[in-house]
Amino acid sequence: MKYSKYNVAIIGSGISGLFLANKLAQNKEFSDGIVIITKGELFSGSSSLAQGGIVSVIPEINIKDSIESHIKDTIDAGCGLNNISVVQYVSKQSSKVTQDLINFGVKFDENDKHQLNFTLEGAHSYPRILHAQGDSTGRVIEEALCKQLEKANNVDLYDNTMALELLVDDDNSIKGVIVYNWQNDTYEVIYTSNIVIATGGIGQIYKNTTNPIESTADGIALAFKAGAEVKDMEFVQFHPTALYVKNKKTSPLVSESVRGEGAKLVNKNGEYFAKNYHYLADLAPRDVVARAIRQEMINTKSEFVNLDISQIGIEKFKKRFPTITKLCEENNISLESGLIPVVPCEHYFMGGIKTDLSSKTSINNLYAIGECASTGLHGANRLASNSLLECAVFADSLADELIHTHIAPPKKHGAKVMNIIDKYINNEIDSCDEIEKIQKLFDKLKDTMSKNVGIVRNQTSLDLANKKIDEINFALSELNASNSRLKYELQNAICVAKLIINAAISRKDSIGAHFRDDSPKKERQNQERKGKYETILVK
Ligand code: FAD
Ligand code: SIN
């Protein structure tokens, strides 16, 4: 067992983790340094896959837009379950973090007049989304943040390293984290008094997801097992348009900004259908469009619907959406047909570790930022491109908080922490057996979640899911398999799957992304969110 100490440990190297590391690296006072722990390579996570862009509310140059309008759209899309103070804060900070990203070297796309080029996505009243190299926004931002970080001399990187367990003492304060290098089968205790969880989403607990392999809900499970509060766990966002590729495991995204630029959904019979479900038609909130597509697929007995891109024009499409063009080529989908087959799939998690405006969790000096945190920004359904914004805003404010807190690594810890460390000292370090059996259990979990806790759920499906996840948990404990990344991930996935199912059982009504077909409110739900913002103001 190795031991090390740092001022701050950041778990995750997506946009939230890297943005924070860059801000902290500018401060010279962290004499014990900062460590970034990441399960994959530096570029792992959802961030580098982000296509559509980042919300940027800059009325000074985007004169039709306003902070008030962005707040209203966020709350209407979130069905009013949002925390209004958080929405106001994030919206107001958006022009600051846009400028920070530009200072870090991000070059957002411009129009012919060399002005920032704002695009439109679902449920936004105005085009207010900045993008880079067309639909490669996430990659461009990550590259800039990584390049900037090369200049720092007080940041260490532990890649291919998985955070396994938080060290929380009897006084409810953080003392460190146990990490596992899954390539070398080695464990290490990192002592630190400040831990930031930035582990991203949960997509891999579903069979079809736009998320990468790292998104197995680890950070949420770690925090919950250590005693942190979680919230909004029933709210899983399904993106309406992942590329449909028969018999393939991956589900690449076809950005909502394709509809923002004029594409329209069309069913198997060639009928445009979105207007039948919501007055905003193809640009309705994401949960509404995902349900509409699912319904059309059932009605027409089809495994997908199509995006008609003919109104954009093929040449413009290729230039504006180079990533999606490449994805189509790789999957033998001809853009010349004017139709791209799409299907809804898991995309984003509104729930997660409960945090306040300072990114504090209910454990002292444990913070959470990015997709794993539930800040209250999104309510019951996230507005498109608000996630990258949330990552940057909370990373930025947390950097200020940590620079002022500036706590040295712990000098001692109690019996509780010692017991956790002992558990890992005694761990057998050998190569893992039973991998295939663990993988089968993981596949069963994904299947269970997709079939029973998907776009539409009800009491019967949720009870069945609960029973099946318990069976998977029992089967895993019976396996007596040696330790491996996959085993640890499955344990985390089981923990979070149970939290989602139980939250979904508790909420009897349909709202936003939580849609129960046994709920009395199901028919009215699409219309009800209009005016949610005004209702909140009156309250
Ligand atoms: P991530 O970028 O997911 O990074 C998580 C990090 O944590 C990774 O480095 C991972 O390796 C690491 N990690 C995980 N578990 C562990 C562990 N146990 N130990 C150590 N490290 C761990 N949002 C927008 O606003 N605009 C968009 O255009 C947009 N497009 C998207 C397109 C796609 C295909 C996807 C999947 C998402 C998109 N989103 C978009 C959502 C957005 O990209 C994510 O919510 C956001 O990038 C999450 O950033 P993050 O820093 O929280 O986590
Ligand atoms: C997209 O480009 O459709 C994804 C945007 C998002 O998830 O916010």
Side-chain angles (χ1 to χ4, degrees):
M1 179 78 101
K2 275 172 64 185
Y3 299 87
S4 53
K5 59 175 183 165
Y6 287 93
N7 288 111
V8 184
I10 301 171
I11 307 173
S13 63
I15 284 177
S16 53
L18 291 176
F19 194 107
L20 173 65
N22 270 298
K23 284 278 166 144
L24 293 179
Q26 291 170 3
N27 187 290
K28 303 277 172 260
E29 285 177 34
F30 291 110
S31 53
D32 288 297
I34 297 145
V35 61
I36 301 177
I37 302 149
T38 187
K39 193 161 67 170
E41 306 294 331
L42 196 54
F43 265 65
S44 56
S46 293
S47 296
S48 59
L49 302 176
Q51 293 182 354
I54 178 166
V55 162
S56 188
V57 192
I58 324 181
E60 299 78 35
I61 53 175
N62 194 15
I63 51 171
K64 281 193 178 163
D65 198 9
S66 68
I67 286 177
E68 166 107 324
S69 158
H70 174 242
I71 293 172
K72 181 180 179 311
D73 291 347
T74 300
I75 290 174
D76 282 351
C79 303
L81 280 197
N82 323 60
N83 178 328
I84 189 159
S85 316
V86 171
V87 182
Q88 284 166 335
Y89 176 71
V90 171
S91 195
K92 283 179 189 152
Q93 291 299 104
S94 95
S95 67
K96 175 182 186 293
V97 295
T98 303
Q99 191 54 53
D100 282 342
L101 286 170
I102 292 170
N103 295 345
F104 283 142
V106 178
K107 216 175 156 337
F108 289 111
D109 292 341
E110 295 178 346
N111 60 21
D112 298 343
K113 294 177 189 151
H114 300 294
Q115 295 157 333
L116 286 171
N117 196 355
F118 296 90
T119 194
L120 185 64
E121 286 184 308
H124 284 276
S125 298
Y126 300 105
R128 58 164 75 96
I129 295 141
L130 291 179
H131 44 91
Q133 292 183 22
D135 54 1
S136 312
T137 314
R139 182 176 53 74
V140 172
I141 296 178
E142 284 247 321
E143 277 171 1
L145 292 174
C146 289
K147 199 159 173 228
Q148 185 73 17
L149 208 55
E150 284 169 11
K151 298 177 195 159
N153 54 16
N154 59 348
V155 181
D156 288 346
L157 174 71
Y158 283 34
D159 56 4
N160 300 312
T161 304
M162 181 176 185
L164 284 192
E165 188 162 350
L166 299 170
L167 302 176
V168 180
D169 235 333
D170 290 315
D171 63 354
N172 193 38
S173 65
I174 275 289
K175 293 289 187 278
V177 57
I178 305 275
V179 301
Y180 169 65
N181 183 308
W182 54 272
Q183 285 191 327
N184 308 333
D185 257 341
T186 52
Y187 294 80
E188 181 166 337
V189 183
I190 296 181
Y191 288 110
T192 178
S193 305
N194 294 298
I195 291 191
V196 183
I197 304 186
T199 48
I202 62 145
Q204 288 295 331
I205 73 171
Y206 282 85
K207 192 171 171 188
N208 303 107
T209 177
T210 59
N211 290 192
I213 53 166
E214 293 84 17
S215 303
T216 49
D218 296 353
I220 301 169
L222 258 65
F224 178 75
K225 287 178 192 170
E229 277 181 60
V230 294
K231 118 181 205 301
D232 289 350
M233 298 296 286
E234 62 275 43
F235 297 116
V236 179
Q237 181 167 78
F238 293 82
H239 197 292
T241 59
L243 194 65
Y244 171 80
V245 190
K246 199 171 173 60
N247 298 331
K248 270 221 172 161
K249 274 194 160 179
T250 55
S251 302
L253 185 71
V254 178
S255 174
E256 199 159 291
S257 53
V258 173
R259 277 173 281 135
E261 299 283 347
K264 298 221 174 321
L265 290 159
V266 57
N267 68 15
K268 188 180 163 192
N269 303 330
E271 295 153 346
Y272 297 104
F273 58 83
K275 60 181 181 317
N276 303 336
Y277 292 85
H278 194 274
Y279 70 102
L280 289 172
D282 295 273
L283 290 173
R286 221 167 246 186
D287 59 309
V288 177
V289 182
R291 281 194 295 277
I293 294 176
R294 177 183 174 275
Q295 194 56 51
E296 291 294 315
M297 283 163 51
I298 293 171
N299 294 350
T300 60
K301 297 191 176 55
S302 173
E303 289 184 5
F304 59 90
V305 297
N306 282 305
L307 252 185
D308 177 358
I309 58 165
S310 54
Q311 301 194 23
I312 302 177
I314 304 298
E315 287 320 307
K316 182 177 168 199
F317 185 93
K318 287 181 176 170
K319 201 163 163 234
R320 174 67 180 80
F321 299 110
T323 305
I324 300 168
T325 300
K326 193 158 166 265
L327 286 169
C328 287
E329 278 165 11
E330 285 166 1
N331 290 290
N332 298 321
I333 292 160
S334 154
L335 289 178
E336 273 62 30
S337 70
L339 296 177
I340 302 178
V342 289
V343 64
C345 81
E346 196 287 342
H347 179 64
Y348 183 84
F349 192 43
M350 274 74 73
I353 308 161
K354 185 179 172 194
T355 53
D356 65 11
L357 265 176
S358 315
S359 302
K360 287 181 179 153
T361 70
S362 55
I363 295 176
N364 297 332
N365 296 92
L366 177 70
Y367 304 88
I369 52 173
E371 189 170 337
C372 68
S374 188
T375 62
L377 173 66
H378 309 301
N381 168 60
R382 175 174 66 96
L383 182 69
S385 287
N386 260 353
S387 175
L388 294 184
L389 173 63
E390 184 187 42
C391 288
V393 166
F394 283 97
D396 183 49
S397 58
L398 179 56
D400 287 343
E401 168 87 20
L402 289 174
I403 286 164
H404 287 109
T405 314
H406 185 245
I407 297 178
K411 291 211 165 50
K412 54 180 185 180
H413 52 73
K416 190 174 168 196
V417 164
M418 201 58 240
N419 287 339
I420 301 174
I421 296 173
D422 277 352
K423 202 171 68 186
Y424 290 93
I425 289 176
N426 296 330
N427 249 359
E428 259 181 44
I429 300 178
D430 56 15
S431 60
C432 181
D433 49 28
E434 312 280 26
I435 280 289
E436 275 175 29
K437 286 185 185 157
I438 300 174
Q439 189 58 59
K440 273 198 182 139
L441 289 177
F442 216 141
D443 290 344
K444 197 171 163 198
L445 177 138
K446 288 166 185 257
D447 212 45
T448 301
M449 292 301 284
S450 289
K451 281 194 184 130
N452 303 296
V453 199
I455 299 176
V456 174
R457 50 296 278 266
N458 56 46
Q459 193 63 44
T460 311
S461 74
L462 294 168
D463 287 341
L464 182 64
N466 229 347
K467 189 169 154 275
K468 287 197 169 185
I469 303 292
D470 284 342
E471 285 167 9
I472 292 166
N473 197 18
F474 180 71
L476 180 64
S477 68
E478 288 285 285
L479 265 188
N480 202 15
S482 42
N483 299 314
S484 66
R485 169 176 166 172
L486 193 65
K487 180 177 153 187
Y488 289 128
E489 286 179 333
L490 179 55
Q491 287 170 339
N492 291 333
I494 289 170
C495 168
V496 172
K498 290 283 292 180
L499 288 168
I500 293 173
I501 295 164
N502 287 322
I505 287 174
S506 297
R507 193 180 284 279
K508 306 289 177 207
D509 265 341
S510 293
I511 182 162
H514 173 63
F515 189 87
R516 290 184 58 146
D517 63 4
D518 55 354
S519 146
K521 277 175 94 181
K522 68 176 192 241
E523 303 301 340
R524 304 198 310 267
Q525 194 216 355
N526 286 356
Q527 314 305 331
E528 267 183 1
R529 69 190 66 197
K530 205 177 169 193
K532 275 290 170 203
Y533 174 56
E534 284 76 6
T535 317
I536 282 185
L537 287 188
V538 171
K539 265 195 222 155

